[in-house]
Amino acid sequence: MNIEEAFNLILQKLITWMHEFIQMLPNILLASIILVIGLYLARILKKLAGKLISKVSSQTTLNKLFTSLVHIFLIGIILFATLSILHLNKAVTSILAGAGIIVLALAFAFQDIAANFISGIFISFRKPIKINDVVKIKDYMGSVKEINLRDTVLLTFQGQTVIIPNKEVFQNPIENFTLLGKRRFDILVGVSYGDDLRKVKKIALDAVSGIKGLSEDDETTFYYKEFGDSSINFEIRLWVGSDQGSEWKRVGSEAIVCIKNAFDENNIMIPFPIRTLDFGIKGGIPLNEMPLNIKEKK
């Protein structure tokens, strides 16, 4: 092949490409218009999605993530539509296949992270706990300080910071002491069998009635529970008008002091454990009636 033939071949190829380009001009123009308008609409829809999600979720990180995902999804649709107009269907298929393989590989590689992430999203929408709620999750009890997409941070009443993965929070029972805005303090006490039980009840209820911090909407209740080994046991249930652990403990502590002082003033005994020794086969035989087998030594 000489130089002239090579030049003609290249020229013919360029002319063919030029004809194909001219034929594709309407498609290129339409694809450009769709791309520009689509990107503009994607920005508007992103802002709209952000406003809508902010009404449902108060977590800023989750809101930004959601709006970013919506924006990426819309851009993906626009790009696929643009490539289809340009008759690049094979490219679209290859991109979708590659994206599917990447997502599947990431799902297997980061199972725990994905589980915590999804659990964090469900927690944000369902809102079983909120910031500053007093909760008990598994063996940890404290105030909620942070709710992230991966974990939840508690500050215990002892001052320790506990970071719990959201998977554990979502899959385990949650005791939320803040939902009612109050907590109950139960006191178990025993009195002597020789005391007047009706008098004991009145004195105990009067003793705790004036404690500051009790709930005004709930009544303090008193129940005799059982005949114990050395006492008749009863339970007083106090409703504390606060969900905070410090206030709950303060009211309970003051109630115990008030009951003890009231019993002392009225000669009501809180007995110590008593044991009765039986020296015979049959119960009730006094010690002085038991025969003693004592041999004198010579």
Side-chain angles (χ1 to χ4, degrees):
M1 181 182 295
N2 54 32
I3 298 177
E4 184 178 356
E5 291 178 352
F7 177 78
N8 291 333
L9 182 61
I10 295 172
L11 182 61
Q12 185 65 32
K13 198 65 174 178
L14 291 174
I15 293 172
T16 303
W17 287 349
M18 184 62 67
H19 288 164
E20 292 179 355
F21 177 74
I22 293 173
Q23 291 177 354
M24 287 290 295
L25 275 178
N27 291 22
I28 295 174
L29 181 60
L30 179 61
S32 301
I33 294 172
I34 290 177
L35 182 63
V36 173
I37 295 176
L39 293 176
Y40 177 74
L41 291 176
R43 292 182 60 185
I44 295 176
L45 292 175
K46 178 184 177 181
K47 293 180 180 179
L48 181 61
K51 292 180 180 179
L52 292 176
I53 192 63
S54 63
K55 295 181 179 180
V56 179
S57 173
S58 58
Q59 191 174 115
T60 305
T61 305
L62 178 61
N63 297 348
K64 291 182 178 179
L65 176 65
F66 181 79
T67 53
S68 297
L69 290 176
V70 170
H71 194 218
I72 293 172
F73 177 74
L74 293 174
I75 290 177
I77 292 176
I78 295 166
L79 291 177
F80 289 150
T82 303
L83 293 174
S84 298
I85 292 173
L86 296 175
H87 301 296
L88 299 175
N89 297 327
K90 291 184 178 180
V92 174
T93 304
S94 300
I95 292 173
L96 288 175
I101 293 172
I102 292 173
V103 170
L104 186 62
L106 291 176
F108 278 107
F110 303 101
Q111 293 183 43
D112 292 337
I113 295 176
N116 290 324
F117 178 77
I118 298 299
S119 298
I121 293 176
F122 278 109
I123 290 172
S124 298
F125 279 103
R126 291 185 59 190
K127 297 180 180 179
I129 56 176
K130 299 177 182 177
I131 301 298
N132 295 326
D133 280 3
V134 177
V135 300
K136 183 176 181 181
I137 302 172
K138 298 188 74 175
D139 297 328
Y140 303 103
M141 183 175 180
S143 177
V144 179
K145 293 304 177 185
E146 293 183 29
I147 303 175
N148 304 312
L149 289 179
R150 183 187 175 278
D151 49 51
T152 297
V153 181
L154 295 185
L155 180 64
T156 67
F157 297 135
Q158 290 74 33
Q160 290 88 10
T161 299
V162 181
I163 302 174
I164 305 176
N166 283 334
K167 178 182 176 182
E168 300 294 328
V169 177
F170 188 72
Q171 294 181 349
N172 286 281
I174 301 173
E175 294 184 56
N176 194 322
F177 298 93
T178 304
L179 290 178
L180 290 178
K182 57 187 177 183
R183 292 179 63 183
R184 199 179 76 186
F185 194 99
D186 299 340
I187 303 175
L188 185 63
V189 191
V191 293
S192 170
Y193 275 89
D195 288 315
D196 185 343
L197 298 185
R198 297 187 184 278
K199 178 182 177 182
V200 169
K201 179 178 180 180
K202 183 179 185 306
I203 291 173
L205 290 176
D206 290 343
V208 300
S209 62
I211 297 177
K212 183 179 179 181
L214 291 176
S215 173
E216 298 179 357
D217 300 326
D218 298 277
E219 180 183 3
T220 300
T221 55
F222 181 109
Y223 299 100
Y224 284 106
K225 295 189 64 177
E226 60 183 357
F227 292 95
D229 294 337
S230 57
S231 63
I232 297 178
N233 300 324
F234 66 88
E235 184 180 45
I236 294 182
R237 298 177 179 178
L238 307 168
W239 282 97
V240 182
S242 172
D243 63 309
Q244 298 300 314
S246 57
E247 179 67 6
W248 178 75
K249 289 184 177 181
R250 183 196 66 79
V251 172
S253 176
E254 189 172 346
I256 292 173
V257 173
C258 291
I259 292 173
K260 177 64 168 60
N261 291 339
F263 282 7
D264 290 344
E265 292 173 0
N266 291 273
N267 296 321
I268 296 174
M269 185 175 68
I270 301 176
F272 295 100
I274 298 174
R275 295 291 181 267
T276 301
L277 302 179
D278 188 359
F279 293 92
I281 298 176
K282 296 182 179 180
I285 298 178
L287 180 61
N288 58 4
E289 295 182 7
M290 289 295 299
L292 300 178
N293 187 11
I294 301 176
K295 294 183 180 181
E296 296 181 359
K297 293 184 179 180
K298 296 181 180 180

